[in-house]
Amino acid sequence: MSELRELYQTTILDHNKSPRNFRVPGGANAHADGHNPLCGDKVTVHLVVDGGAVRDAAFQGSGCAISTASASLMTEAVRGKPIAEVNRLFDAFHALLTTGGAPNEEMGKLAVFAGVREYPMRVKCATLAWHTLRSALDGASEVAKTE
């Protein structure tokens, strides 16, 4: 097994088994629900947005290992970042999974999801939390979907 694939599996399994930020943060002022109808993943993203930045990020829900790990790593990645930087990170992550974009330094641990693009049906699992994050930032009232 290649080192990258092993890192991918270890990171995904760790964040699935012990998801970070699986909670509702105090003072959350932006929320959105997401649903992947293909496999049943459901996620709610909770944010504390203040001064043009995501001060805290958390999630709740249920889903497959990739969906849960993606939400966990996403909340770690966006916490404390200006909204413009969060949007750039969304674009980079989405490109990584959908168009074969290369991981950049800003992505950090999120780069492990590059292997997901080899499994097209799983891309939607990995991007659900991110689409839900964007809905929360946009104040959208509809359920975010990966369609």
Side-chain angles (χ1 to χ4, degrees):
M1 182 180 300
S2 75
E3 283 184 39
L4 181 59
R5 190 170 297 256
E6 188 174 321
L7 175 63
Y8 161 78
Q9 288 181 341
T10 301
T11 303
I12 299 294
L13 292 173
D14 177 46
H15 279 265
N16 177 56
K17 187 182 235 184
S18 301
R20 283 50 153 195
N21 306 307
F22 191 82
R23 60 186 170 79
V24 178
N29 56 3
H31 312 268
D33 295 316
H35 180 231
N36 180 351
L38 291 175
C39 68
D41 296 338
K42 292 184 179 186
V43 66
T44 301
V45 172
H46 307 281
L47 306 172
V48 176
V49 180
D50 183 44
V54 174
R55 301 294 174 203
D56 198 2
F59 76 101
Q60 293 181 306
S62 60
C64 68
I66 291 172
S67 177
T68 300
S70 181
S72 177
L73 283 158
M74 177 196 74
T75 59
E76 288 187 323
V78 302
R79 184 181 295 119
K81 291 199 170 36
I83 292 172
E85 192 174 330
V86 170
N87 285 327
R88 283 193 307 274
L89 196 54
F90 172 94
D91 292 340
F93 185 79
H94 196 264
L96 177 72
L97 271 68
T98 60
T99 64
N104 61 39
E105 188 175 299
E106 183 181 30
M107 294 183 80
K109 290 181 182 179
L110 295 168
V112 300
F113 286 97
V116 171
R117 74 175 163 245
E118 295 176 28
Y119 308 96
M121 293 299 293
R122 308 305 290 194
V123 168
K124 292 176 186 266
C125 301
T127 59
L128 176 63
W130 289 86
H131 286 286
T132 308
L133 167 74
R134 183 160 271 177
S135 290
L137 288 172
D138 291 344
S141 58
E142 305 86 38
V143 173
K145 295 190 176 159
T146 53
E147 301 299 308

